[in-house]
Structure formats: C-alpha cells, structure tokens
Amino acid sequence: MRTPFIAGNWKMNKTVSEAVALVDELKAALSGVSGVDIAVCPAYVALTSVKPGLAGSQIKLGAQNAYYEPKGAFTGEVAISMLTGIVDYIIIGHSERRQIFGETDALVNKKVLAVIAAGLQPIMCIGETLAENEAGQTEAVLERQTRDGLVNVSTADIAKVTVAYEPIWAIGTGRAATAEDAQNRCAFVRAQLRLKYGDLADQVRIQYGGSVTAANAQELLGKPDIDGALVGGASLKVGDFSAIVKAAAR
Ligand code: 13P
C-alpha cells in the first residue's frame, strides 16, 4: 500500500541560517520515526546549506518550483537539472504559483513531465478557489487540473507523481476542509486517475493541504484516500510539524 507522505512547504520564509537551524531541530525531533516519508521544501537559496545536515536522516528535500527548460535565457528561473542531486521532490503548480504568477495547467504539465524526465518526483498541486467551491464547480476544476496537468504522463511514471489537493480557500486561513470533504475530494481525484491509469491509481499518493495542524492531522490522515499532507504554516514550527509527521506514521 501507499506510504504516507508529509511535506513541509516553507514558502518564502526563513533565511539560510534560520533554515539550517530549523532542519537541525527537525532532524532531532523526528529521529527514529518510521513508516512515513518526510520532505521539507525550503527556498532555493537554502537548499545546499541544509543538505549536509540531512545526511543520514530520513528527511528528504524538495524544491518549491522549477522551470522546465534545461538552461538558457530565463532570468530568475531555476532549471530542474540544477536541482538534481540536491532534492528528491519538486512542488509544481502550487496555487500561489497559479494565482500570483499566472501558471496555467499547460505550464504545470510541462514542468511535471520535465521533473519526471529528470528522475525526480513532482508534487502536483490542484485545488479550487472559494468562488469555484461555492458555485459547485469543485469537481470540474479538479477533473480539469488533474487531466491537463498529467497529459502524456505514462503508466510507467504515474506512481512517481504525488497529487496535492489544496483547496485555495483553506490555505493559510485556519479553515481546513473537514476530513470528510477532504476525503471525498481526494477519492474523486483518485477516481479520475483510475479512468486513465486503471489500478495504478492505487499507487499514487494524494496529499491534502490547507491549514493542516497538529490538532486536525490525525483525523485528516485517518481517511483512506488521504495519503499525507502538504503543510505550510505548521511546517515552520518544529513541534507542530513533528506532530503531523507522527500522526501520519503507520
Ligand atoms: P497552510 O498549511 O499554511 O494553510 O498552507 C498550505 C499550503 O499552501 C501548502 O502548500
């Protein structure tokens, strides 16, 4: 079955020295924890500084974004090849990338394919806005984002993909989806994957993200189609993130 997967998305937080300190504390707090995959995703500039401290730890590194072109005149972007050997995971299509920086499903798809081609694992984010939710469009949005984000992802590669369902109205608001609603949405996404990939859908990890805390993690992670969490604010606090990881461990 699927190993639970908890990833901390640090977003645009922590200087390099703060990131090194946080990783050291996390490593100590999580030593000996098993039965769960763990990743932290600091800013690009901190990745190589935190990397040595994670040697021998079960905590893996992820990046928060990357560009799909291998190199060239793309000022301000970071190529996936530059992240190879440093990270295992790359978050693709986070709602903040989509909403603030205009990323489309087509761009997300190019990035997902490039991450897989580089031998790394994408965490592809999907999720509806509050307006879409209130208009009853959630399933249509999830269906489109799942389909268009995974164009040309083969059956051989689909299990490398983690899908993170993050309803935008739940991100940073303190208002998480109910465990029941989150389960239903994640099950819906898995059903979409099953239409295209058959029983391989059972190998794809689907995370929930959006105001996951130490207090609500247990209930969310207890649901059958929620295979982990993509954690924002709570991933910056050692006690909270450790508690969430421990709640996921099977
Ligand atoms: P919060 O956990 O702060 O709501 O953020 C969720 C998120 O966007 C993770 O990618």
Side-chain angles (χ1 to χ4, degrees):
M1 268 315 271
R2 303 177 292 271
T3 304
F5 177 28
I6 305 294
N9 175 9
W10 293 6
K11 307 191 180 182
M12 200 173 72
N13 293 290
K14 302 291 174 189
T15 63
V16 173
S17 58
E18 288 168 351
V20 170
L22 178 53
V23 152
D24 281 348
E25 286 182 64
L26 281 173
K27 197 173 133 179
L30 291 171
S31 78
V33 174
S34 62
V36 53
D37 289 346
I38 311 165
V40 293
C41 308
Y44 290 131
V45 286
L47 289 172
T48 52
S49 301
V50 302
K51 178 89 177 157
L54 291 176
S57 147
Q58 81 275 41
I59 304 173
K60 306 282 189 213
L61 273 180
Q64 298 174 18
N65 181 32
Y67 198 55
Y68 67 89
E69 291 283 2
K71 63 178 177 167
F74 304 99
T75 301
E77 292 297 315
V78 171
I80 293 160
S81 61
M82 297 168 181
L83 297 164
T84 307
I86 303 171
V87 305
D88 289 287
Y89 302 98
I90 305 182
I91 298 171
I92 297 295
H94 190 279
S95 62
E96 288 146 21
R97 302 285 333 156
R98 293 178 188 257
Q99 292 208 303
I100 304 171
F101 302 102
E103 295 201 6
T104 62
D105 288 324
L107 179 59
V108 168
N109 179 238
K110 284 182 176 165
K111 292 183 173 193
V112 166
L113 290 169
V115 171
I116 293 170
L120 302 177
Q121 298 178 64
I123 301 172
M124 184 182 83
C125 301
I126 60 174
E128 82 283 5
T129 64
L130 182 62
E132 289 164 341
N133 184 286
E134 289 177 342
Q137 294 167 350
T138 299
E139 291 196 345
V141 170
L142 299 183
E143 195 265 335
R144 188 199 77 229
Q145 291 178 331
T146 304
R147 183 192 59 226
D148 292 357
L150 296 175
V151 171
N152 289 331
V153 174
S154 69
T155 49
D157 288 329
I158 189 61
K160 297 169 189 164
V161 176
T162 294
V163 179
Y165 167 56
E166 299 202 301
I168 294 170
W169 47 268
I171 295 177
T173 58
R175 192 183 144 216
T178 64
E180 194 187 352
D181 282 349
Q183 158 61 23
N184 288 340
R185 303 310 190 196
C186 291
F188 175 80
V189 172
R190 198 177 308 285
Q192 298 307 302
L193 295 172
R194 195 176 305 282
L195 290 176
K196 182 170 171 191
Y197 297 102
D199 287 345
L200 289 169
D202 292 325
Q203 295 180 30
V204 178
R205 293 189 290 194
I206 303 178
Q207 296 173 320
Y208 167 78
S211 296
V212 176
T213 63
N216 63 21
Q218 193 89 47
E219 198 188 351
L220 286 161
L221 297 168
K223 297 294 181 191
D225 285 291
I226 302 178
D227 305 315
L230 186 55
V231 186
S235 73
L236 299 169
K237 298 179 199 134
V238 178
D240 290 8
F241 191 65
S242 315
I244 294 166
V245 169
K246 287 172 187 168
R250 302 237 165 96

